[in-house]
Amino acid sequence: MRGRGEDERADLLIAELRRGRPEAGPMSDRVRRAADGAFAARAVEAPVAEVVDDSLERPGGVRPSAVSGPRYVVLRGAGVEVRLEISEHGDERRVAGRVVPPLGEAVEVRSPFGAREFAMDGGGGFTARAVPRGPVRLLVHDGGGPRLATRWISM
């Protein structure tokens, strides 16, 4: 996820921060994954798709505390629609989606805990498994960088 130069800069930053607090122990894997996710969350140079429909939204902006079955979200931007079906599996989510029209090869799922890519089929369909609960952003890639990014949505 990070390049060699980024690892070296991160190590230098950690060493500098420890000078002010020498009792700090080594960084845990969980903290490092969260830091990687925060780095991955930085701004993206791509058109942004906005949420236009969310099955959790109720009149008056009230969200139900418990909803049985999957959640459906539709995002639109730059002439592209991203349709999502989000199902809960404990603390993780499964996201089945479709990009219409298909304009990429993979969908990257970013969260504060990291980023993972999932292949997109010829019809724009993809399935992302083991997506962590919390804020998530999707990026549609075509091999030459992101073609579309969604707004952050809570899963």
Side-chain angles (χ1 to χ4, degrees), residues 1 25 38 46 51-52 61 63 90 96 100 114 133 138:
M1 180 143 67
V51 175
V52 295
R63 289 181 177 260
V100 181
R133 166 180 268 165
L138 307 177

Side-chain angles (χ1 to χ4, degrees), residues 34-96:
D36 284 342
F39 180 75
R42 66 192 189 283
V44 175
E45 294 296 324
V48 176
E50 305 281 348
V51 175
V52 295
D53 188 29
D54 185 338
S55 65
L56 284 185
E57 293 297 323
R58 304 278 171 136
V62 177
R63 289 181 177 260
S65 60
V67 175
S68 61
R71 173 183 175 193
Y72 299 95
V73 178
V74 177
L75 302 105
R76 285 194 193 115
V80 178
E81 185 171 273
V82 180
R83 301 175 192 155
L84 306 175
E85 178 184 289
I86 305 162
S87 54
E88 292 187 23
H89 299 275
D91 280 341
E92 296 181 332
R93 307 290 180 259
R94 178 184 164 273
V95 180

Side-chain angles (χ1 to χ4, degrees), residues 41-52 73-77 80-84 86 95 98-99 107-111 126 135-141 146-155:
R42 66 192 189 283
V44 175
E45 294 296 324
V48 176
E50 305 281 348
V51 175
V52 295
V73 178
V74 177
L75 302 105
R76 285 194 193 115
V80 178
E81 185 171 273
V82 180
R83 301 175 192 155
L84 306 175
I86 305 162
V95 180
R98 182 160 310 282
V99 178
V107 171
E108 179 183 349
V109 178
R110 289 186 177 181
S111 81
F126 64 93
V136 172
R137 181 179 209 182
L138 307 177
L139 284 82
V140 179
H141 290 276
R147 296 274 311 270
L148 181 78
T150 68
R151 287 280 179 213
W152 287 90
I153 57 175
S154 183
M155 300 251 178

Side-chain angles (χ1 to χ4, degrees), residues 1-12:
M1 180 143 67
R2 296 186 320 193
R4 183 171 167 77
E6 292 167 337
D7 282 339
E8 291 171 358
R9 284 193 302 269
D11 291 342
L12 288 172

